[in-house]
Amino acid sequence: MHLPMKSTPAERREARKKVEAAGLVLMGGGVIYIKNNEDEIRDVFEYAKDAGMPTIISSPDPQALDGVEKSAKQYDLRIAIHNHGPGDKRYPSPLDVLRLVKDRDARMGLCIDVGHTVRLGEEPVSVIEKCASRLYDFHMKDVTVATANGKAIEVGKGVIDIPAVLKALIRVKYSHHVALEYEANADDPMPGVKGSIAYIRRVLAGI
């Protein structure tokens, strides 16, 4: 974790200064797990506010959603609840998140993890279109097979139709963050990161 949750407000503000001084824009932080505890919810939002995060990518306890929504309004920060596919008891699919947030404050939304979505057997373009109005973050990756056994692989070398996914994001006028989440080869990730980014750029150049 680059900026620990237990950091002080001063440490967070110092980190924010370094990010801004480098000419970077911090898009969000997460995945942050949130328990149904008023003090913990407040601490998460204070953390995000101090660091300058406009969006909290999270996986809150479902029982915490009322408190999270209250804080999202109070702090004027977006919540993007992340799906984790097969094995996730709370939010396996982005559609599970959508059902829980669609009638809540507009700051309550979701982060689609396209890899976990495909591992669940869902068609990502359809999911993007259904969730577009509440889609506030997007985790881009590729997987080896479209089943629960799918493993992370360099983007463009797996089974996900990345051009179709990018076209869908453009079609729904998605205007938030697309994060490359490369989870293969943890000991030497940079070749895969570079290859993934190069592939995505080639696809975008052709759209």
Side-chain angles (χ1 to χ4, degrees):
M1 184 174 290
H2 304 293
L3 181 61
M5 293 297 299
K6 297 297 184 182
S7 55
T8 67
E11 289 170 335
R12 297 167 191 168
R13 289 191 289 270
E14 183 62 28
R16 179 175 184 170
K17 285 181 183 177
K18 289 180 180 179
V19 170
E20 292 172 350
L24 301 173
V25 177
L26 187 63
M27 302 300 292
V31 174
I32 297 174
Y33 292 85
I34 306 175
K35 294 179 181 177
N36 187 22
N37 177 285
E38 187 174 335
D39 291 338
E40 183 170 329
I41 293 170
R42 184 185 62 251
D43 288 346
V44 168
F45 278 85
E46 288 286 340
Y47 169 89
K49 182 192 74 172
D50 290 341
M53 301 175 187
T55 303
I56 301 171
I57 298 89
S58 65
S59 180
D61 288 347
Q63 297 82 5
L65 288 176
D66 287 345
V68 169
E69 180 181 27
K70 179 181 175 181
S71 289
K73 294 176 183 178
Q74 178 184 344
Y75 288 85
D76 192 24
L77 295 174
R78 290 187 296 267
I79 286 289
I81 299 176
H82 184 289
N83 69 294
H84 276 111
D88 185 344
K89 305 297 186 195
R90 301 184 293 188
Y91 313 109
S93 166
L95 300 177
D96 295 315
V97 179
L98 183 64
R99 281 190 287 271
L100 292 171
V101 302
K102 63 182 177 63
D103 296 321
R104 292 182 178 270
D105 186 86
R107 283 161 281 223
M108 297 288 287
L110 62 148
C111 169
I112 291 179
D113 184 303
V114 71
H116 292 318
T117 301
V118 169
R119 288 175 55 247
L120 200 62
E122 294 183 334
E123 204 287 305
V125 169
S126 173
V127 171
I128 289 168
E129 291 171 344
K130 290 174 182 175
C131 296
S133 65
R134 293 295 182 112
L135 183 56
Y136 299 145
D137 205 87
F138 192 92
H139 284 183
M140 178 66 77
K141 60 178 64 165
D142 211 341
V143 293
T144 53
V145 292
T147 70
N149 295 324
K151 305 297 182 186
I153 193 171
E154 185 176 311
V155 176
K157 294 186 176 180
V159 298
I160 299 178
D161 188 344
I162 302 297
V165 166
L166 292 170
K167 287 177 182 177
L169 290 172
I170 292 169
R171 189 164 58 250
V172 302
K173 296 181 170 58
Y174 177 70
S175 61
H176 300 288
H177 182 220
V178 176
L180 173 65
E181 190 176 28
Y182 183 69
E183 297 171 313
N185 305 315
D187 292 333
D188 185 25
M190 286 310 295
V193 168
K194 291 177 180 178
S196 296
I197 292 173
Y199 175 78
I200 292 168
R201 285 178 171 164
R202 287 197 302 273
V203 172
L204 289 172
I207 295 176

